[in-house]
Amino acid sequence: MGTAIVKFHNVTKTYRSKDQTVTALRNINLEIKRGEIFGIIGLSGAGKSTLLRSINRLEIPQSGSIIVGDTEMTTLTGKNLRLARRKIGMIFQHFNLLSSRTVYGNIAFPLEVAGTPPAEIKKRVLELAELVGLSDKLNNYPAQLSGGQKQRVGIARALANHPEILLCDEATSALDPQTTHSILQLLRDVNRRLGLTIILITHEIQVIKEICDSVAVIKNGQIIECGPVVQLFANPRTEIAREFIRTATHDKIPENLQTLIHSNPGEGNLVRIFFQGEAAKEPVITSLIRRFNLDVNILYAKLDFIQDTPFGSLIVDLNGTDDNVQTAMAYLQELGCRIEVLNGVESTTLQSAD
Amino acid sequence: MVGVSLVIATLLGLPLGVLLVITGPGHIKPHPAIHSTLSIIVNIGRSLPFIILLVAIVPFTRLVVGTSIGTLGAIVPLTVSAIPFFARLVETTLLEVDSGIIEAAQAIGATTWQIIGKVLIPEAKSGLVLGITNCAVSLISYSAMAGAVGGGGLGDLAIRYGYQRFQPDVMLATVIVLVILVQGIQSLGDWMARKLNHK
């Protein structure tokens, strides 16, 4: 990871139809680092597809600049555009394979387009089929393959011309959870092995959680939040991000616990502690008891992983002097935990410093 | 007569149909002026009943083959009527090629020619074979009218012997041969289309 490989600068795109103008992208500024897996998440119609497609100019923005490597994409035409596109692989939600060609023919297609000599095509196709685990399916037609296998062909085809970037347009949205997992693992694998930068769009936070390094949340054509995935999960700043994370971590408080909280307002100090990374390794509860002389009653706990980073939340009932409770909470925030007060000391949500 | 017309109509109708498709709105080479001009020409060709076209283009036929009667004289109008017919069939078939596949080819960096030759036509070849079959059957039916200019063939036989000379057995035989011929061509076309279809 290091320097930026894709840079968006003030990119705007609007669609005009007879009676209305729809702004798909508003003033997008974005940098994607070389070698990372960058996720763009948003609900349908948020503009994520337009954003992704403008990278290889399947969509043409009205204004702004998109630099891929050293190339300004927005002004490319003809041959230069085709050459630039060869360095950007792309896979699709509905795979978009040639039904008239076998697996072999599909993987060979971009090589034929690039004018690769036949002997080299053969060598490369076999190599790619091996990489995606389809060496025994070379003579099958796409119609004879499962969804996951089709996407593997799509990935092999996208990698044929040694691209530096792979664009994934909802690549797992048509697949069942298990197949999604195996395709994501394959993407992770090629990202690490080939140092390939992957840019994916999705409406499933699970995909972001599983393989992305960085993430941008897009809403109404604007990027409303952007940064490392771990940071987004630990400290989401917008409601839509929080909503996505709730779905991903299934961290809705169980209903009976909710009833308990609501039926006993003001009693004790019920707080929810969100912790991640290093803080997860600290003996937090023990410290609360020993250092601040509190009684700690754990009502709910949940631990999850974002790739390799532990991430979780606890709901605890803190009993002690008000002073001690306050200092204890300050201590937790110092550790990097986010605290939500469910009742008791304060009714507002405290936010940890970044 | 039908064979020659079919071959020429296929060779000329295919590029015409391809051009109609790719210059259409939202396709790989949108060009409204070319698209609508071609569309109008094709519509003119399609709007004339064959028997009228046959006599209307007699001067053109003479210019091309030197005569407007006989088998040679029938090939020209048959071909002229089949080209726009086939072009429309090609257009319909090619429009059915999934736009996602075309987009994938564009993303790969394919040229317009590569998209036509490696994507559009191969993906549609099963439909194109059915189009050619359709065209062959129509040509057989039109060729009967070519009998009116002494074009020879089954139509000639049926009209001259079966109708004008009151020979019902000839008429019946012609009908039977026609039915078998059309059935045969259609079955062959269906079979080939199935073989080519990998969807």
Side-chain angles (χ1 to χ4, degrees), chain A residues 2-274:
Chain A
T3 51
I5 189 166
V6 178
K7 273 186 253 179
F8 280 76
H9 184 68
N10 291 336
V11 174
T12 297
K13 164 92 188 176
T14 50
Y15 292 104
R16 278 192 195 89
S17 65
K18 260 181 208 148
D19 30 66
Q20 59 176 356
T21 315
V22 181
T23 307
L25 298 177
R26 277 171 224 266
N27 217 21
I28 299 283
N29 287 290
L30 193 61
E31 279 200 8
I32 295 164
K33 290 198 276 298
R34 191 178 287 276
E36 73 175 338
I37 301 185
F38 192 97
I40 299 163
I41 188 165
L43 302 171
S44 43
K48 53 189 190 300
S49 194
T50 312
L51 183 65
L52 188 81
R53 275 148 201 273
S54 57
I55 296 173
N56 63 353
R57 249 181 66 121
L58 287 176
E59 295 278 357
I60 305 167
Q62 265 89 15
S63 63
S65 118
I66 299 167
I67 295 170
V68 176
D70 306 316
T71 315
E72 170 62 65
M73 292 300 288
T74 50
T75 53
L76 284 185
T77 50
K79 186 157 195 243
N80 290 331
L81 175 61
R82 289 196 299 274
L83 290 176
R85 279 175 171 170
R86 282 182 205 157
K87 289 285 152 213
I88 307 173
M90 189 169 191
I91 57 173
F92 304 85
Q93 180 176 6
H94 298 295
F95 325 120
N96 295 348
L97 302 177
L98 293 160
S99 68
S100 56
R101 287 180 174 225
T102 58
V103 169
Y104 183 98
N106 269 287
I107 304 176
F109 177 59
L111 298 163
E112 285 173 27
V113 163
T116 314
E120 222 168 289
I121 290 183
K122 187 166 183 206
K123 188 170 155 270
R124 183 83 183 123
V125 171
L126 297 181
E127 206 174 280
L128 287 159
E130 167 106 43
L131 177 76
V132 299
L134 286 177
S135 299
D136 56 334
K137 300 277 181 204
L138 283 171
N139 295 318
N140 289 57
Y141 284 93
Q144 301 163 309
L145 303 177
S146 70
Q149 290 170 330
K150 284 183 198 168
Q151 197 57 288
R152 283 169 187 273
V153 178
I155 292 170
R157 177 176 72 175
L159 297 179
N161 282 322
H162 301 281
E164 295 183 319
I165 300 172
L166 178 65
L167 307 178
C168 309
D169 186 0
E170 297 271 6
T172 56
S173 299
L175 304 173
D176 61 60
Q178 225 169 345
T179 315
T180 295
H181 179 73
S182 80
I183 292 294
L184 292 178
Q185 289 313 306
L186 176 62
L187 290 175
R188 191 44 151 172
D189 188 46
V190 295
N191 160 259
R192 288 192 177 153
R193 272 211 270 172
L194 311 174
L196 182 77
T197 308
I198 297 180
I199 306 169
L200 62 86
I201 60 170
T202 183
H203 59 268
E204 296 167 319
I205 190 78
Q206 210 59 42
V207 171
I208 303 281
K209 187 180 150 196
E210 206 169 322
I211 64 164
C212 291
D213 301 307
S214 301
V215 60
V217 182
I218 184 168
K219 189 188 177 189
N220 295 330
Q222 278 175 305
I223 291 177
I224 55 171
E225 213 164 319
C226 185
V229 172
V230 176
Q231 189 186 310
L232 179 89
F233 271 79
N235 193 9
R237 290 191 299 272
T238 55
E239 185 44 45
I240 185 157
R242 276 193 282 275
E243 188 54 47
F244 273 129
I245 287 160
R246 270 198 285 277
T247 14
T249 50
H250 312 285
D251 77 340
K252 271 214 150 62
I253 303 168
E255 234 168 78
N256 37 13
L257 188 56
Q258 277 189 37
T259 326
L260 191 77
I261 293 166
H262 287 299
S263 60
N264 298 308
E267 203 177 292
N269 298 296
L270 213 49
V271 295
R272 185 166 197 186
I273 307 165
F274 294 90

